[in-house]
Amino acid sequence: MKTFTYHRAVTLDDAVGRAAGGARYYAGGTNLLDLMKTGVENPDSLVDVGSLDLDSLHATESGGLHIGSGLSNSAVANDPLVRTSYPMLSQAILSGATTQIRNMATVGGNLMQRTRCPYFMDPELSVCNKRDPGSGCGAAKGVHREHAIFGAAPGRHTCIAVHPSDMAVALAALDAVVHVTGPAGSRSIPINDFFALPADQPQRDTTVAPGELITAVELPPSTFGERGWYLKVRDRHSYAFALVSVAAGLDIVDGVIRSAAVALGGVAAKPWRVPAAEAQLVGAAPGPEAFAAAARTAVAGAEPLSQNAFKVTLAHNSVIRALTRAAARA
């Protein structure tokens, strides 16, 4: 590991000021420290934000939820407000990593973890556009069973790694807004605009500017409290990224779907929200026919490679299963 300087921030302004000089933020460190140990990340300086007052979770005046970025994943998943009003978020968090990691990892760190694959994680492998833009994508012609089927740069596959966060998929379905503060002030980023697809800058995972720190995530009032579900399909039950995941929410009134949310994980460099599938569900009676039609729409346009084509069928079936579980919850 490269030698670095360490500073424990005492105020938000203190943290932002240090980061403006090129330092990296550190909270739980469950992803950053791993990458530093292997030499994938080599920051000169770390700013510890763990002591800042960023761990509040409370209802907002609008009926939504404010989640401080410094809260641990476990604290959010087990909070009564989250479990009752936003069950898919609790389910998503509890399906990720291990209990020990969830106890350390923070909300902000979860969102800022690197989109990654084995080619990115091993500095001995020289071909990785995310580590070394322009070097090529080792996975595109190598092992890519777990990689993206949506959102890669057409014809070039500059990066086909998938974002690993389960929490982010649920936040996408719930229309979360991410609040950040940086050298230029504060701003709010809708979750759908927070993550970046590879395009011409595969080294960028998010639209967060240098020096900006996530301070909170805000959820609007949800109509999916009674009928929300997070489904994660993976090779093993614990400590495995999703091959495919689905956050599904339904608002059903008098036997008709009034609103719906469908977001997929494990299929792109960002949570993959499918507005067309959601629109197809609105006005329909919940059931196999409507759910199958929405699933077909959800996987339309997928561009798998030779080893991950199974993900298209897996995603289709997972959407049906998640919607069926969501509809049956109440």
Side-chain angles (χ1 to χ4, degrees), residues 223 226-227 250-259 283-286:
T223 58
E226 293 184 351
R227 294 185 173 92
L250 294 170
D251 179 22
I252 302 173
V253 178
D254 296 330
V256 175
I257 299 171
R258 185 167 60 180
S259 63

Side-chain angles (χ1 to χ4, degrees), residues 5-57:
T5 62
Y6 170 88
H7 174 74
R8 189 171 179 85
V10 294
T11 66
L12 184 57
D13 288 342
D14 177 31
V16 170
R18 297 272 180 168
R24 295 283 298 278
Y25 294 120
Y26 164 85
T30 55
N31 180 222
L32 178 59
L33 289 186
D34 280 349
L35 297 179
M36 290 172 64
K37 290 174 184 177
T38 59
V40 175
E41 297 272 11
N42 294 290
D44 294 320
S45 182
L46 294 184
V47 175
D48 188 340
V49 297
S51 61
L52 300 184
D53 185 19
L54 299 173
D55 56 359
S56 172
L57 191 154

Side-chain angles (χ1 to χ4, degrees), residues 37-320:
K37 290 174 184 177
T38 59
V40 175
E41 297 272 11
N42 294 290
D44 294 320
S45 182
L46 294 184
V47 175
D48 188 340
V49 297
S51 61
L52 300 184
D53 185 19
L54 299 173
D55 56 359
S56 172
L57 191 154
H58 57 82
T60 62
E61 291 184 0
S62 66
L65 194 65
H66 169 101
I67 303 173
S69 64
L71 282 164
S72 72
N73 288 184
S74 292
V76 176
N78 293 313
D79 186 88
L81 279 174
V82 176
R83 292 174 69 91
T84 55
S85 298
Y86 303 91
M88 75 170 75
L89 177 57
S90 179
Q91 295 161 5
I93 294 173
L94 292 174
S95 73
T98 63
T99 301
Q100 294 89 339
I101 290 177
R102 292 194 298 267
N103 289 344
M104 287 291 296
T106 63
V107 170
N110 186 297
L111 293 178
M112 290 299 293
Q113 66 180 300
R114 298 302 308 269
T115 301
R116 57 196 187 271
C117 81
Y119 293 88
F120 171 76
M121 294 292 288
D122 188 351
E124 295 299 315
L125 300 174
S126 60
V127 180
C128 175
N129 280 324
K130 186 171 285 294
R131 271 190 291 104
D132 183 15
S135 64
C137 176
K141 294 184 178 180
V143 179
H144 50 255
R145 174 178 177 269
E146 300 177 359
H147 290 65
I149 58 174
F150 293 106
R156 292 181 295 153
H157 295 300
T158 57
C159 179
I160 55 172
V162 298
H163 196 275
S165 173
D166 293 289
M167 181 183 75
V169 181
L171 291 178
L174 292 166
D175 293 315
V177 175
V178 183
H179 299 297
V180 301
T181 295
S186 300
R187 63 188 181 113
S188 300
I189 311 171
I191 191 71
N192 194 51
D193 299 327
F194 180 85
F195 296 101
L197 291 175
D200 295 322
Q201 293 183 300
Q203 71 275 22
R204 291 197 67 191
D205 298 326
T206 72
T207 58
V208 174
E212 287 187 324
L213 174 67
I214 299 174
T215 57
V217 173
E218 186 172 344
L219 298 177
S222 176
T223 58
F224 307 134
E226 293 184 351
R227 294 185 173 92
W229 193 261
Y230 185 77
L231 172 69
K232 182 176 183 177
V233 183
R234 47 190 161 172
D235 284 326
R236 60 183 186 274
H237 182 70
S238 180
Y239 201 55
F241 294 152
L243 292 171
V244 169
S245 65
V246 182
L250 294 170
D251 179 22
I252 302 173
V253 178
D254 296 330
V256 175
I257 299 171
R258 185 167 60 180
S259 63
V262 179
L264 280 72
V267 297
K270 62 185 291 184
W272 199 253
R273 187 81 182 264
V274 194
E278 297 168 353
Q280 196 166 3
L281 288 165
V282 174
E289 184 177 344
F291 297 161
R296 288 192 295 271
T297 300
V299 299
E303 296 182 307
L305 297 179
S306 60
Q307 297 169 16
N308 66 357
F310 74 95
K311 279 194 173 189
V312 179
T313 301
L314 185 61
H316 175 277
N317 293 340
S318 296
V319 169
I320 295 173

